[in-house]
Amino acid sequence: MPEGLRPDEAAQALTEIGHRQEQVIKLAIIPRWYWWAIAGLMVGLSAAIDSHRPLAIGIGTSVFVIGVLAATGRVMIGATRRAQLRNDLLNPLGVLAILGLVAMVLAVSLPTAFALRAAGVGYPATGGVLVGAVLLIVGGSLLTRVLQRIMLANRIGNRR
């Protein structure tokens, strides 16, 4: 570091570092399309299973697995190409937020599916998963914002 660095220059450099950190975090965040893709794949799989046709179940399962792997791979590879985040940006609160979304989707979709089945509704699993898919789309976008806030709060220079 140059010895003649003035305080205003140091402050300007720290501000620039903060902006760059924010850009990296925003680049690495889960895109909205991912939640839609996973939700659609979930509904497709449940419809295939509800059909009780072995061929439909086989195709639905294959499409689901390939689709989840492709979507997740695209997000992960894209994120690592653009930016490498530090492991300590996502604290236990972020992990709890992720687990909370999963728990919420399961806590709503499973009872819904069982209630639809008890009521004799056709394709009950698909109905339950459709409700869960809507929660995943809405909750995934909210989760993304929460995780972004957590990571921004945990970046270097922002900790207290």
Side-chain angles (χ1 to χ4, degrees), residues 29-124:
I29 210 70
I30 300 169
R32 182 172 285 149
W33 66 262
Y34 179 80
W35 303 111
W36 283 90
I38 298 301
L41 289 165
M42 287 170 32
V43 172
L45 175 63
S46 63
I49 292 170
D50 265 343
S51 75
H52 300 289
R53 295 185 180 134
L55 182 61
I57 293 170
I59 292 170
T61 302
S62 299
V63 168
F64 177 80
V65 169
I66 292 167
V68 168
L69 289 174
T72 304
R74 183 169 178 214
V75 168
M76 295 306 297
I77 290 169
T80 56
R81 279 187 189 161
R82 292 186 300 251
Q84 186 66 34
L85 295 176
R86 293 187 340 267
N87 290 334
D88 61 343
L89 282 177
L90 195 61
N91 61 22
L93 184 60
V95 174
L96 286 175
I98 294 167
L99 294 174
L101 175 63
V102 173
M104 178 186 68
V105 169
L106 290 173
V108 173
S109 62
L110 286 174
T112 300
F114 287 129
L116 291 173
R117 183 173 181 178
V121 174
Y123 287 75

